[in-house]
């Protein structure tokens, strides 16, 4: 079902549309692979918009140096990221249904992590893992949309960040080239811009709209 | 046989001839594999994802006339 509406609406109608939007998104399920700068911010944006079924996957714990760009707080340092993020999402919407997987993402276990998801979000750090996720998901789940990210490091213009259509059911957000391994810092503004691109692509996919 | 080859991001400079956008046409011998194209273009040994016609393909796969090969190199950061 597509969700096309006239953008020229008054405030009262847009409030109704907001409720319709949430009704449409609420039953949808999104799997987020990686809960660092991309995944934690993307998850929060999706829940704020009305997505109420999320699977969160990450092996890491919250560290103080994550707080410059990731959706965590000082009192969560030391907690598993998936546990801390789930708690934050419940503070945004207590109705959210969160499945947490505190573990590494590898090719053998990947499919069980994303089972049932309407959309998969690749939000990991390592280029090798990004490639593996794209390979496995497009080979084994060719009909499930995948929203990946690549190129978000540094503090170049945020206007360089875009969402491109890479393959049949694959979209990539980022500037595609800014590699953290080239020594670029990870800056909240660009990380969160890329996460917002991912969240927006997910929402448009779930609404049956064209992505780019 | 004519095959469209799309090279994304940092790989775009490895095309052998000028053109618009990511994609160029290449005239390849019958039986050419994706790995042969990667070797022909001299692409660096780095993580990459390969699609033919929008679907993931193994690098050992043979290409066929009229297909579109796309190669994307993800970079670190998340």
């Amino acid at each position: 079902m597509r969700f096309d509406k006239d953008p020229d609406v008054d405030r009262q109608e847009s409030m109704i549309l907001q409720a319709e939007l949430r009704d449409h998104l609420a039953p949808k399920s999104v799997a987020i692979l990686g809960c660092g700068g991309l995944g934690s911010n993307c998850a929060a944006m999706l829940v704020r918009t009305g997505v109420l079924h999320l699977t969160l996957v990450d092996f890491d714990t919250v560290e103080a140096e994550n707080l410059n760009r990731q959706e965590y707080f000082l009192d969560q340092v030391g907690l598993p990221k998936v546990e801390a993020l789930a708690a934050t999402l419940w503070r945004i919407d207590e109705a959210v249904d969160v499945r947490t997987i505190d573990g590494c993402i590898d090719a053998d276990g990947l499919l069980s992590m994303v089972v049932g998801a309407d959309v998969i979000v690749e939000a990991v750090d390592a280029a090798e893992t990004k490639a593996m996720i794209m390979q496995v998901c497009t080979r084994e789940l060719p009909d499930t949309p995948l929203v990946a990210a690549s190129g978000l490091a540094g503090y170049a213009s945020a206007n360089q960040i875009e969402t491109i259509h890479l393959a049949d059911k694959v979209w990539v957000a980022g500037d595609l080239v800014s590699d953290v391994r080239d020594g670029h810092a990870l800056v909240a503004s660009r990380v969160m811009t890329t996460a917002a691109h991912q969240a927006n692509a997910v929402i448009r996919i779930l609404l049956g709209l064209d992505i780019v | 046989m004519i095959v469209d080859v799309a090279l994304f991001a940092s790989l775009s400079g490895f095309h052998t001839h000028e053109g618009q956008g990511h994609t160029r046409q290449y005239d390849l011998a019958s039986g050419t594999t994706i790995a042969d194209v990667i070797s022909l273009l001299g692409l660096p040994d780095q993580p990459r994802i390969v699609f033919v016609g929008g679907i993931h393909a193994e690098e050992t796969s043979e290409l066929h006339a009229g297909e579109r090969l796309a190669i994307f190199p993800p970079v670190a950061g998340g």
Side-chain angles (χ1 to χ4, degrees):
Chain A
M1 167 186 152
R2 292 181 67 85
F3 196 85
D4 297 317
K5 292 291 182 184
D6 182 356
D8 186 19
V9 293
D10 63 20
R11 178 172 171 75
Q12 184 177 14
E13 187 175 355
S14 64
M15 290 174 68
I16 296 169
L17 288 177
Q18 183 74 17
E20 291 178 2
L21 174 69
R22 298 184 70 84
D23 287 346
H24 188 84
L25 295 177
K28 306 296 186 182
S29 175
V30 177
I32 298 182
L33 301 171
C35 297
L38 292 171
S40 64
N41 286 300
C42 183
M45 284 184 259
L46 291 176
V47 170
R48 291 183 198 281
T49 312
V51 176
L52 293 182
H53 300 276
L54 290 173
T55 297
L56 308 176
V57 186
D58 202 294
F59 70 95
D60 212 351
T61 54
V62 179
E63 298 180 28
E65 54 262 37
N66 300 149
L67 304 185
N68 66 351
R69 65 191 186 279
Q70 302 186 15
E71 187 71 358
Y72 300 107
F73 303 92
L74 273 173
D75 61 357
Q76 294 177 320
V77 170
L79 294 175
K81 284 187 176 178
V82 292
E83 182 183 318
L85 182 55
T88 298
L89 298 179
W90 283 317
R91 291 179 67 190
I92 297 170
D93 191 330
E94 61 187 5
V96 68
D97 164 38
V98 185
R99 173 181 173 233
T100 60
I101 301 174
D102 184 2
C104 292
I105 300 164
D106 57 34
D108 292 336
L110 179 54
L111 292 180
S112 66
M113 293 172 172
V114 300
V115 64
D118 294 299
V119 182
I120 300 165
V121 175
E122 176 279 296
V124 301
D125 182 55
E128 294 81 359
T129 311
K130 289 174 180 288
M132 180 275 290
I133 289 170
M134 284 194 249
Q135 287 169 7
V136 172
C137 289
T138 55
R139 184 179 62 230
E140 304 296 336
L141 299 167
D143 295 326
T144 303
L146 172 66
V147 179
S150 183
L152 50 98
Y155 42 84
S157 170
N159 289 346
Q160 296 173 358
I161 293 169
E162 58 182 347
T163 304
I164 69 160
H165 186 206
L166 182 61
D168 188 27
K169 295 283 186 180
V170 183
W171 291 264
V172 179
D175 70 13
L176 310 184
V177 293
S178 295
D179 191 333
V180 72
R181 291 182 298 194
D182 290 336
H184 296 296
L186 287 168
V187 180
S189 50
R190 285 190 112 229
V191 172
M192 295 170 79
T193 299
T194 307
H197 268 260
Q198 289 189 287
N200 205 62
V202 170
I203 291 161
R204 291 184 64 82
I205 289 168
L206 293 176
L207 295 178
L209 302 173
D210 294 334
I211 313 308
V212 292
Chain B
M1 63 178 179
I2 301 298
V3 172
D4 286 334
V5 177
L7 301 178
F8 288 90
S10 60
L11 299 182
S12 60
F14 286 84
H15 277 302
T16 60
H17 51 284
E18 295 298 316
Q20 293 278 328
H22 306 289
T23 307
R24 309 282 188 277
Q25 285 194 334
Y26 286 82
D27 191 356
L28 304 172
S30 179
T32 299
T33 66
I34 295 169
D36 292 333
V37 174
I38 290 169
S39 176
L40 170 74
L41 298 176
L43 302 187
D45 185 17
Q46 66 185 104
R48 59 186 168 234
I49 176 79
V50 175
F51 302 96
V52 174
I55 307 295
H56 170 62
E58 299 296 336
E59 294 184 8
T60 52
S61 302
E62 282 189 16
L63 292 164
H64 302 92
E67 287 184 329
R68 182 176 188 267
L69 167 65
I71 305 177
F72 176 75
V75 296

